[in-house]
mmCIF file of all heavy atoms in Angstrom:
data_model
loop_
_atom_site.group_PDB
_atom_site.id
_atom_site.type_symbol
_atom_site.label_atom_id
_atom_site.label_comp_id
_atom_site.label_asym_id
_atom_site.label_seq_id
_atom_site.Cartn_x
_atom_site.Cartn_y
_atom_site.Cartn_z
ATOM 1 N N ILE R 1 0.826 -1.207 0.000
ATOM 2 C CA ILE R 1 0.000 0.000 0.000
ATOM 3 C C ILE R 1 0.863 1.261 0.000
ATOM 4 O O ILE R 1 0.501 2.294 -0.558
ATOM 5 C CB ILE R 1 -0.958 -0.012 1.219
ATOM 6 C CG1 ILE R 1 -2.124 0.929 0.995
ATOM 7 C CG2 ILE R 1 -0.294 0.335 2.519
ATOM 8 C CD1 ILE R 1 -3.228 0.336 0.223
ATOM 9 N N PHE R 2 2.038 1.155 0.626
ATOM 10 C CA PHE R 2 2.895 2.337 0.768
ATOM 11 C C PHE R 2 3.582 2.715 -0.536
ATOM 12 O O PHE R 2 4.143 3.793 -0.652
ATOM 13 C CB PHE R 2 3.908 2.117 1.902
ATOM 14 C CG PHE R 2 3.224 1.746 3.196
ATOM 15 C CD1 PHE R 2 3.305 0.460 3.693
ATOM 16 C CD2 PHE R 2 2.455 2.678 3.884
ATOM 17 C CE1 PHE R 2 2.650 0.109 4.873
ATOM 18 C CE2 PHE R 2 1.787 2.340 5.053
ATOM 19 C CZ PHE R 2 1.885 1.054 5.548
ATOM 20 N N GLY R 3 3.504 1.833 -1.525
ATOM 21 C CA GLY R 3 4.036 2.157 -2.850
ATOM 22 C C GLY R 3 3.002 2.783 -3.765
ATOM 23 O O GLY R 3 3.315 3.127 -4.909
ATOM 24 N N LEU R 4 1.766 2.946 -3.278
ATOM 25 C CA LEU R 4 0.700 3.519 -4.110
ATOM 26 C C LEU R 4 0.714 5.040 -3.978
ATOM 27 O O LEU R 4 0.035 5.604 -3.129
ATOM 28 C CB LEU R 4 -0.676 2.986 -3.680
ATOM 29 C CG LEU R 4 -1.002 1.518 -3.927
ATOM 30 C CD1 LEU R 4 -2.460 1.236 -3.598
ATOM 31 C CD2 LEU R 4 -0.733 1.137 -5.373
ATOM 32 N N SER R 5 1.482 5.697 -4.811
ATOM 33 C CA SER R 5 1.592 7.156 -4.713
ATOM 34 C C SER R 5 0.243 7.829 -4.931
ATOM 35 O O SER R 5 0.020 8.963 -4.505
ATOM 36 C CB SER R 5 2.611 7.678 -5.723
ATOM 37 O OG SER R 5 2.240 7.265 -7.029
ATOM 38 N N ILE R 6 -0.689 7.121 -5.566
ATOM 39 C CA ILE R 6 -2.011 7.671 -5.853
ATOM 40 C C ILE R 6 -2.755 8.044 -4.561
ATOM 41 O O ILE R 6 -3.649 8.887 -4.565
ATOM 42 C CB ILE R 6 -2.812 6.658 -6.702
ATOM 43 C CG1 ILE R 6 -3.945 7.345 -7.440
ATOM 44 C CG2 ILE R 6 -3.324 5.499 -5.880
ATOM 45 C CD1 ILE R 6 -4.464 6.560 -8.620
ATOM 46 N N LEU R 7 -2.365 7.424 -3.432
ATOM 47 C CA LEU R 7 -3.012 7.738 -2.155
ATOM 48 C C LEU R 7 -2.334 8.897 -1.415
ATOM 49 O O LEU R 7 -2.862 9.392 -0.428
ATOM 50 C CB LEU R 7 -3.024 6.505 -1.250
ATOM 51 C CG LEU R 7 -3.930 5.351 -1.713
ATOM 52 C CD1 LEU R 7 -3.691 4.109 -0.860
ATOM 53 C CD2 LEU R 7 -5.404 5.759 -1.644
ATOM 54 N N ASP R 8 -1.182 9.338 -1.908
ATOM 55 C CA ASP R 8 -0.456 10.408 -1.219
ATOM 56 C C ASP R 8 -1.257 11.702 -1.161
ATOM 57 O O ASP R 8 -1.192 12.437 -0.175
ATOM 58 C CB ASP R 8 0.901 10.665 -1.901
ATOM 59 C CG ASP R 8 1.878 9.511 -1.683
ATOM 60 O OD1 ASP R 8 1.613 8.687 -0.782
ATOM 61 O OD2 ASP R 8 2.873 9.439 -2.412
ATOM 62 N N ASP R 9 -2.008 11.989 -2.227
ATOM 63 C CA ASP R 9 -2.812 13.215 -2.238
ATOM 64 C C ASP R 9 -3.848 13.218 -1.119
ATOM 65 O O ASP R 9 -4.071 14.244 -0.470
ATOM 66 C CB ASP R 9 -3.526 13.388 -3.591
ATOM 67 C CG ASP R 9 -2.562 13.746 -4.710
ATOM 68 O OD1 ASP R 9 -1.422 14.154 -4.377
ATOM 69 O OD2 ASP R 9 -2.934 13.603 -5.885
ATOM 70 N N LEU R 10 -4.485 12.076 -0.899
ATOM 71 C CA LEU R 10 -5.465 11.976 0.183
ATOM 72 C C LEU R 10 -4.784 12.110 1.543
ATOM 73 O O LEU R 10 -5.329 12.741 2.457
ATOM 74 C CB LEU R 10 -6.222 10.645 0.115
ATOM 75 C CG LEU R 10 -7.254 10.499 -1.002
ATOM 76 C CD1 LEU R 10 -7.917 9.133 -0.931
ATOM 77 C CD2 LEU R 10 -8.320 11.592 -0.907
ATOM 78 N N ALA R 11 -3.607 11.530 1.665
ATOM 79 C CA ALA R 11 -2.872 11.645 2.926
ATOM 80 C C ALA R 11 -2.560 13.115 3.225
ATOM 81 O O ALA R 11 -2.727 13.579 4.363
ATOM 82 C CB ALA R 11 -1.585 10.818 2.861
ATOM 83 N N ARG R 12 -2.163 13.847 2.205
ATOM 84 C CA ARG R 12 -1.879 15.288 2.394
ATOM 85 C C ARG R 12 -3.156 16.052 2.729
ATOM 86 O O ARG R 12 -3.180 16.914 3.610
ATOM 87 C CB ARG R 12 -1.230 15.872 1.136
ATOM 88 C CG ARG R 12 0.274 15.608 1.057
ATOM 89 C CD ARG R 12 0.920 16.419 -0.055
ATOM 90 N NE ARG R 12 0.494 15.965 -1.373
ATOM 91 C CZ ARG R 12 1.112 14.983 -2.048
ATOM 92 N NH1 ARG R 12 2.147 14.355 -1.517
ATOM 93 N NH2 ARG R 12 0.678 14.628 -3.244
ATOM 94 N N LYS R 13 -4.237 15.733 2.017
ATOM 95 C CA LYS R 13 -5.514 16.438 2.214
ATOM 96 C C LYS R 13 -5.987 16.319 3.661
ATOM 97 O O LYS R 13 -6.443 17.306 4.251
ATOM 98 C CB LYS R 13 -6.571 15.854 1.268
ATOM 99 C CG LYS R 13 -7.981 16.394 1.494
ATOM 100 C CD LYS R 13 -8.985 15.780 0.529
ATOM 101 C CE LYS R 13 -10.408 16.192 0.844
ATOM 102 N NZ LYS R 13 -11.388 15.615 -0.106
ATOM 103 N N TYR R 14 -5.891 15.111 4.227
ATOM 104 C CA TYR R 14 -6.416 14.882 5.579
ATOM 105 C C TYR R 14 -5.342 15.008 6.665
ATOM 106 O O TYR R 14 -5.632 14.824 7.845
ATOM 107 C CB TYR R 14 -7.072 13.506 5.660
ATOM 108 C CG TYR R 14 -8.370 13.415 4.889
ATOM 109 C CD1 TYR R 14 -8.399 12.895 3.588
ATOM 110 C CD2 TYR R 14 -9.573 13.856 5.435
ATOM 111 C CE1 TYR R 14 -9.586 12.815 2.870
ATOM 112 C CE2 TYR R 14 -10.763 13.779 4.728
ATOM 113 C CZ TYR R 14 -10.766 13.261 3.449
ATOM 114 O OH TYR R 14 -11.953 13.186 2.740
ATOM 115 N N LYS R 15 -4.079 15.269 6.226
ATOM 116 C CA LYS R 15 -2.945 15.347 7.159
ATOM 117 C C LYS R 15 -2.817 14.041 7.957
ATOM 118 O O LYS R 15 -2.675 14.033 9.190
ATOM 119 C CB LYS R 15 -3.068 16.553 8.099
ATOM 120 C CG LYS R 15 -3.052 17.892 7.369
ATOM 121 C CD LYS R 15 -3.073 19.050 8.342
ATOM 122 C CE LYS R 15 -2.840 20.374 7.639
ATOM 123 N NZ LYS R 15 -3.834 20.676 6.599
ATOM 124 N N LYS R 16 -2.917 12.952 7.251
ATOM 125 C CA LYS R 16 -2.821 11.610 7.836
ATOM 126 C C LYS R 16 -1.847 10.776 7.012
ATOM 127 O O LYS R 16 -1.458 11.175 5.916
ATOM 128 C CB LYS R 16 -4.201 10.937 7.842
ATOM 129 C CG LYS R 16 -5.178 11.548 8.852
ATOM 130 C CD LYS R 16 -4.783 11.168 10.271
ATOM 131 C CE LYS R 16 -5.665 11.806 11.322
ATOM 132 N NZ LYS R 16 -5.300 11.395 12.685
ATOM 133 N N THR R 17 -1.471 9.598 7.527
ATOM 134 C CA THR R 17 -0.621 8.696 6.750
ATOM 135 C C THR R 17 -1.482 7.911 5.762
ATOM 136 O O THR R 17 -2.705 7.810 5.921
ATOM 137 C CB THR R 17 0.109 7.699 7.665
ATOM 138 O OG1 THR R 17 -0.864 6.839 8.266
ATOM 139 C CG2 THR R 17 0.897 8.405 8.765
ATOM 140 N N VAL R 18 -0.829 7.329 4.766
ATOM 141 C CA VAL R 18 -1.535 6.478 3.809
ATOM 142 C C VAL R 18 -2.227 5.331 4.556
ATOM 143 O O VAL R 18 -3.378 4.975 4.267
ATOM 144 C CB VAL R 18 -0.561 5.946 2.732
ATOM 145 C CG1 VAL R 18 -1.176 4.779 1.971
ATOM 146 C CG2 VAL R 18 -0.169 7.069 1.777
ATOM 147 N N ALA R 19 -1.533 4.744 5.545
ATOM 148 C CA ALA R 19 -2.130 3.642 6.309
ATOM 149 C C ALA R 19 -3.398 4.102 7.018
ATOM 150 O O ALA R 19 -4.422 3.391 7.010
ATOM 151 C CB ALA R 19 -1.122 3.111 7.335
ATOM 152 N N GLN R 20 -3.362 5.272 7.622
ATOM 153 C CA GLN R 20 -4.549 5.774 8.329
ATOM 154 C C GLN R 20 -5.708 6.037 7.366
ATOM 155 O O GLN R 20 -6.868 5.762 7.690
ATOM 156 C CB GLN R 20 -4.186 7.042 9.111
ATOM 157 C CG GLN R 20 -3.311 6.755 10.327
ATOM 158 C CD GLN R 20 -2.597 7.994 10.853
ATOM 159 O OE1 GLN R 20 -2.530 9.038 10.194
ATOM 160 N NE2 GLN R 20 -2.042 7.885 12.050
ATOM 161 N N ILE R 21 -5.392 6.539 6.181
ATOM 162 C CA ILE R 21 -6.434 6.764 5.168
ATOM 163 C C ILE R 21 -7.094 5.439 4.804
ATOM 164 O O ILE R 21 -8.330 5.322 4.748
ATOM 165 C CB ILE R 21 -5.826 7.419 3.895
ATOM 166 C CG1 ILE R 21 -5.301 8.830 4.194
ATOM 167 C CG2 ILE R 21 -6.848 7.431 2.749
ATOM 168 C CD1 ILE R 21 -6.357 9.850 4.542
ATOM 169 N N VAL R 22 -6.280 4.405 4.555
ATOM 170 C CA VAL R 22 -6.817 3.109 4.132
ATOM 171 C C VAL R 22 -7.624 2.453 5.247
ATOM 172 O O VAL R 22 -8.701 1.896 5.008
ATOM 173 C CB VAL R 22 -5.669 2.195 3.648
ATOM 174 C CG1 VAL R 22 -6.142 0.763 3.466
ATOM 175 C CG2 VAL R 22 -5.102 2.730 2.337
ATOM 176 N N LEU R 23 -7.137 2.530 6.480
ATOM 177 C CA LEU R 23 -7.869 1.921 7.601
ATOM 178 C C LEU R 23 -9.185 2.649 7.852
ATOM 179 O O LEU R 23 -10.206 2.014 8.149
ATOM 180 C CB LEU R 23 -6.995 1.906 8.859
ATOM 181 C CG LEU R 23 -5.770 0.989 8.779
ATOM 182 C CD1 LEU R 23 -4.878 1.175 10.000
ATOM 183 C CD2 LEU R 23 -6.180 -0.477 8.639
ATOM 184 N N ARG R 24 -9.172 3.968 7.719
ATOM 185 C CA ARG R 24 -10.421 4.725 7.884
ATOM 186 C C ARG R 24 -11.418 4.354 6.773
ATOM 187 O O ARG R 24 -12.627 4.228 7.030
ATOM 188 C CB ARG R 24 -10.115 6.231 7.850
ATOM 189 C CG ARG R 24 -11.334 7.134 8.014
ATOM 190 C CD ARG R 24 -11.862 7.146 9.429
ATOM 191 N NE ARG R 24 -13.250 7.584 9.471
ATOM 192 C CZ ARG R 24 -13.904 7.923 10.577
ATOM 193 N NH1 ARG R 24 -13.300 7.885 11.750
ATOM 194 N NH2 ARG R 24 -15.172 8.286 10.530
ATOM 195 N N TRP R 25 -10.900 4.153 5.580
ATOM 196 C CA TRP R 25 -11.743 3.712 4.453
ATOM 197 C C TRP R 25 -12.381 2.362 4.776
ATOM 198 O O TRP R 25 -13.577 2.165 4.553
ATOM 199 C CB TRP R 25 -10.884 3.642 3.192
ATOM 200 C CG TRP R 25 -11.485 2.951 2.017
ATOM 201 C CD1 TRP R 25 -12.522 3.381 1.223
ATOM 202 C CD2 TRP R 25 -11.060 1.697 1.456
ATOM 203 N NE1 TRP R 25 -12.767 2.473 0.214
ATOM 204 C CE2 TRP R 25 -11.893 1.437 0.333
ATOM 205 C CE3 TRP R 25 -10.072 0.784 1.781
ATOM 206 C CZ2 TRP R 25 -11.746 0.291 -0.451
ATOM 207 C CZ3 TRP R 25 -9.933 -0.359 1.006
ATOM 208 C CH2 TRP R 25 -10.768 -0.586 -0.096
ATOM 209 N N ASN R 26 -11.577 1.438 5.336
ATOM 210 C CA ASN R 26 -12.131 0.142 5.768
ATOM 211 C C ASN R 26 -13.342 0.363 6.662
ATOM 212 O O ASN R 26 -14.427 -0.176 6.415
ATOM 213 C CB ASN R 26 -11.092 -0.657 6.575
ATOM 214 C CG ASN R 26 -10.016 -1.339 5.762
ATOM 215 O OD1 ASN R 26 -9.480 -2.364 6.161
ATOM 216 N ND2 ASN R 26 -9.663 -0.775 4.624
ATOM 217 N N LEU R 27 -13.172 1.145 7.709
ATOM 218 C CA LEU R 27 -14.227 1.315 8.714
ATOM 219 C C LEU R 27 -15.457 1.998 8.118
ATOM 220 O O LEU R 27 -16.591 1.605 8.413
ATOM 221 C CB LEU R 27 -13.697 2.112 9.906
ATOM 222 C CG LEU R 27 -12.538 1.461 10.687
ATOM 223 C CD1 LEU R 27 -12.150 2.331 11.878
ATOM 224 C CD2 LEU R 27 -12.899 0.062 11.160
ATOM 225 N N GLN R 28 -15.230 2.996 7.279
ATOM 226 C CA GLN R 28 -16.372 3.696 6.682
ATOM 227 C C GLN R 28 -17.127 2.820 5.679
ATOM 228 O O GLN R 28 -18.294 3.075 5.385
ATOM 229 C CB GLN R 28 -15.924 5.012 6.049
ATOM 230 C CG GLN R 28 -15.604 6.063 7.095
ATOM 231 C CD GLN R 28 -15.289 7.435 6.519
ATOM 232 O OE1 GLN R 28 -14.377 8.102 6.982
ATOM 233 N NE2 GLN R 28 -16.038 7.878 5.527
ATOM 234 N N LYS R 29 -16.469 1.768 5.197
ATOM 235 C CA LYS R 29 -17.143 0.784 4.337
ATOM 236 C C LYS R 29 -17.916 -0.233 5.178
ATOM 237 O O LYS R 29 -18.554 -1.127 4.633
ATOM 238 C CB LYS R 29 -16.123 0.038 3.477
ATOM 239 C CG LYS R 29 -15.400 0.883 2.451
ATOM 240 C CD LYS R 29 -16.161 0.998 1.149
ATOM 241 C CE LYS R 29 -16.162 -0.301 0.380
ATOM 242 N NZ LYS R 29 -16.999 -0.174 -0.863
ATOM 243 N N GLY R 30 -17.835 -0.111 6.502
ATOM 244 C CA GLY R 30 -18.490 -1.091 7.367
ATOM 245 C C GLY R 30 -17.690 -2.375 7.487
ATOM 246 O O GLY R 30 -18.231 -3.431 7.819
ATOM 247 N N VAL R 31 -16.375 -2.288 7.232
ATOM 248 C CA VAL R 31 -15.496 -3.456 7.235
ATOM 249 C C VAL R 31 -14.622 -3.415 8.498
ATOM 250 O O VAL R 31 -13.907 -2.449 8.732
ATOM 251 C CB VAL R 31 -14.606 -3.462 5.965
ATOM 252 C CG1 VAL R 31 -13.575 -4.579 6.013
ATOM 253 C CG2 VAL R 31 -15.483 -3.576 4.714
ATOM 254 N N ILE R 32 -14.696 -4.473 9.287
ATOM 255 C CA ILE R 32 -13.802 -4.605 10.442
ATOM 256 C C ILE R 32 -12.382 -4.779 9.922
ATOM 257 O O ILE R 32 -12.156 -5.443 8.908
ATOM 258 C CB ILE R 32 -14.241 -5.799 11.306
ATOM 259 C CG1 ILE R 32 -15.548 -5.448 12.045
ATOM 260 C CG2 ILE R 32 -13.151 -6.213 12.289
ATOM 261 C CD1 ILE R 32 -16.163 -6.590 12.822
ATOM 262 N N THR R 33 -11.412 -4.188 10.628
ATOM 263 C CA THR R 33 -10.043 -4.253 10.114
ATOM 264 C C THR R 33 -9.064 -4.616 11.228
ATOM 265 O O THR R 33 -9.229 -4.182 12.377
ATOM 266 C CB THR R 33 -9.651 -2.934 9.415
ATOM 267 O OG1 THR R 33 -8.438 -3.132 8.682
ATOM 268 C CG2 THR R 33 -9.489 -1.780 10.390
ATOM 269 N N ILE R 34 -8.051 -5.425 10.886
ATOM 270 C CA ILE R 34 -7.108 -5.937 11.893
ATOM 271 C C ILE R 34 -5.667 -5.769 11.405
ATOM 272 O O ILE R 34 -4.968 -6.744 11.131
ATOM 273 C CB ILE R 34 -7.403 -7.412 12.220
ATOM 274 C CG1 ILE R 34 -7.649 -8.245 10.942
ATOM 275 C CG2 ILE R 34 -8.610 -7.542 13.147
ATOM 276 C CD1 ILE R 34 -7.655 -9.741 11.156
ATOM 277 N N PRO R 35 -5.191 -4.516 11.280
ATOM 278 C CA PRO R 35 -3.814 -4.324 10.819
ATOM 279 C C PRO R 35 -2.823 -5.031 11.735
ATOM 280 O O PRO R 35 -2.936 -4.946 12.960
ATOM 281 C CB PRO R 35 -3.634 -2.805 10.848
ATOM 282 C CG PRO R 35 -4.667 -2.311 11.822
ATOM 283 C CD PRO R 35 -5.825 -3.243 11.673
ATOM 284 N N LYS R 36 -1.870 -5.716 11.127
ATOM 285 C CA LYS R 36 -0.863 -6.449 11.883
ATOM 286 C C LYS R 36 0.367 -5.569 12.094
ATOM 287 O O LYS R 36 0.838 -4.927 11.153
ATOM 288 C CB LYS R 36 -0.479 -7.718 11.108
ATOM 289 C CG LYS R 36 0.594 -8.564 11.774
ATOM 290 C CD LYS R 36 1.957 -8.377 11.150
ATOM 291 C CE LYS R 36 3.019 -9.059 12.010
ATOM 292 N NZ LYS R 36 4.360 -9.018 11.410
ATOM 293 N N SER R 37 0.847 -5.510 13.323
ATOM 294 C CA SER R 37 2.130 -4.867 13.575
ATOM 295 C C SER R 37 2.686 -5.366 14.900
ATOM 296 O O SER R 37 1.935 -5.739 15.796
ATOM 297 C CB SER R 37 2.000 -3.341 13.620
ATOM 298 O OG SER R 37 3.286 -2.764 13.749
ATOM 299 N N VAL R 38 4.008 -5.365 15.004
ATOM 300 C CA VAL R 38 4.654 -5.647 16.289
ATOM 301 C C VAL R 38 5.470 -4.435 16.733
ATOM 302 O O VAL R 38 6.237 -4.512 17.690
ATOM 303 C CB VAL R 38 5.564 -6.899 16.198
ATOM 304 C CG1 VAL R 38 4.724 -8.150 15.956
ATOM 305 C CG2 VAL R 38 6.624 -6.747 15.116
ATOM 306 N N LYS R 39 5.280 -3.302 16.045
ATOM 307 C CA LYS R 39 6.016 -2.075 16.378
ATOM 308 C C LYS R 39 5.107 -1.123 17.155
ATOM 309 O O LYS R 39 4.002 -0.807 16.716
ATOM 310 C CB LYS R 39 6.504 -1.396 15.097
ATOM 311 C CG LYS R 39 7.509 -2.216 14.310
ATOM 312 C CD LYS R 39 8.072 -1.399 13.147
ATOM 313 C CE LYS R 39 9.230 -2.110 12.477
ATOM 314 N NZ LYS R 39 8.807 -3.282 11.700
ATOM 315 N N LYS R 40 5.581 -0.655 18.277
ATOM 316 C CA LYS R 40 4.764 0.168 19.177
ATOM 317 C C LYS R 40 4.210 1.409 18.475
ATOM 318 O O LYS R 40 3.017 1.719 18.578
ATOM 319 C CB LYS R 40 5.597 0.580 20.398
ATOM 320 C CG LYS R 40 4.804 1.305 21.471
ATOM 321 C CD LYS R 40 5.666 1.590 22.687
ATOM 322 C CE LYS R 40 4.847 2.202 23.805
ATOM 323 N NZ LYS R 40 5.699 2.453 25.004
ATOM 324 N N GLU R 41 5.059 2.113 17.757
ATOM 325 C CA GLU R 41 4.608 3.361 17.111
ATOM 326 C C GLU R 41 3.590 3.082 16.009
ATOM 327 O O GLU R 41 2.645 3.837 15.818
ATOM 328 C CB GLU R 41 5.813 4.139 16.548
ATOM 329 C CG GLU R 41 6.622 4.851 17.612
ATOM 330 C CD GLU R 41 5.750 5.648 18.587
ATOM 331 O OE1 GLU R 41 4.939 6.484 18.130
ATOM 332 O OE2 GLU R 41 5.859 5.429 19.807
ATOM 333 N N ARG R 42 3.766 1.982 15.274
ATOM 334 C CA ARG R 42 2.814 1.638 14.209
ATOM 335 C C ARG R 42 1.465 1.233 14.806
ATOM 336 O O ARG R 42 0.409 1.600 14.285
ATOM 337 C CB ARG R 42 3.403 0.503 13.357
ATOM 338 C CG ARG R 42 2.543 0.066 12.196
ATOM 339 C CD ARG R 42 2.321 1.138 11.148
ATOM 340 N NE ARG R 42 3.537 1.652 10.568
ATOM 341 C CZ ARG R 42 4.271 1.051 9.631
ATOM 342 N NH1 ARG R 42 3.901 -0.124 9.158
ATOM 343 N NH2 ARG R 42 5.342 1.629 9.147
ATOM 344 N N ILE R 43 1.510 0.477 15.896
ATOM 345 C CA ILE R 43 0.266 0.077 16.575
ATOM 346 C C ILE R 43 -0.492 1.331 17.026
ATOM 347 O O ILE R 43 -1.716 1.424 16.850
ATOM 348 C CB ILE R 43 0.576 -0.859 17.766
ATOM 349 C CG1 ILE R 43 1.028 -2.231 17.234
ATOM 350 C CG2 ILE R 43 -0.626 -1.009 18.699
ATOM 351 C CD1 ILE R 43 1.642 -3.141 18.282
ATOM 352 N N LYS R 44 0.245 2.286 17.555
ATOM 353 C CA LYS R 44 -0.379 3.547 18.003
ATOM 354 C C LYS R 44 -0.925 4.329 16.810
ATOM 355 O O LYS R 44 -2.063 4.813 16.822
ATOM 356 C CB LYS R 44 0.654 4.383 18.753
ATOM 357 C CG LYS R 44 0.106 5.665 19.333
ATOM 358 C CD LYS R 44 1.153 6.385 20.181
ATOM 359 C CE LYS R 44 0.548 7.639 20.792
ATOM 360 N NZ LYS R 44 1.516 8.340 21.656
ATOM 361 N N SER R 45 -0.137 4.447 15.766
ATOM 362 C CA SER R 45 -0.540 5.197 14.576
ATOM 363 C C SER R 45 -1.765 4.579 13.902
ATOM 364 O O SER R 45 -2.667 5.286 13.444
ATOM 365 C CB SER R 45 0.639 5.254 13.597
ATOM 366 O OG SER R 45 0.260 5.848 12.384
ATOM 367 N N ASN R 46 -1.810 3.231 13.870
ATOM 368 C CA ASN R 46 -2.937 2.547 13.227
ATOM 369 C C ASN R 46 -4.251 2.782 13.945
ATOM 370 O O ASN R 46 -5.320 2.523 13.390
ATOM 371 C CB ASN R 46 -2.665 1.042 13.142
ATOM 372 C CG ASN R 46 -1.654 0.679 12.072
ATOM 373 O OD1 ASN R 46 -1.340 1.484 11.195
ATOM 374 N ND2 ASN R 46 -1.132 -0.537 12.124
ATOM 375 N N ALA R 47 -4.178 3.250 15.182
ATOM 376 C CA ALA R 47 -5.398 3.510 15.958
ATOM 377 C C ALA R 47 -5.823 4.970 15.899
ATOM 378 O O ALA R 47 -6.883 5.331 16.426
ATOM 379 C CB ALA R 47 -5.177 3.096 17.410
ATOM 380 N N ASP R 48 -5.031 5.795 15.241
ATOM 381 C CA ASP R 48 -5.315 7.241 15.204
ATOM 382 C C ASP R 48 -6.235 7.548 14.015
ATOM 383 O O ASP R 48 -5.848 8.208 13.050
ATOM 384 C CB ASP R 48 -3.988 8.006 15.108
ATOM 385 C CG ASP R 48 -4.171 9.512 15.229
ATOM 386 O OD1 ASP R 48 -5.267 9.944 15.668
ATOM 387 O OD2 ASP R 48 -3.241 10.253 14.863
#
């Protein structure tokens, strides 16, 4: 997902990361989402 430059514009528009844009899209579609990470900062960021 991080190689999809097409999402960079949305990330700039909302002042969010590409991952946050995609996860928010999941939720707004009514889709439960379970991003995998073992990194503390990524786990925190994925919840923002």
Side-chain angles (χ1 to χ4, degrees):
I1 200 84
F2 305 108
L4 291 187
S5 57
I6 201 160
L7 292 171
D8 290 344
D9 289 344
L10 287 180
R12 278 191 292 272
K13 173 180 174 179
Y14 290 97
K15 298 184 171 59
K16 289 288 177 178
T17 66
V18 164
Q20 288 162 346
I21 295 293
V22 169
L23 293 173
R24 180 73 201 193
W25 168 71
N26 283 209
L27 298 182
Q28 286 186 221
K29 294 274 289 176
V31 174
I32 288 174
T33 192
I34 45 168
K36 179 258 170 175
S37 185
V38 294
K39 296 187 171 71
K40 187 176 185 179
E41 284 312 306
R42 181 64 58 78
I43 289 168
K44 183 175 182 178
S45 174
N46 285 345
D48 187 15

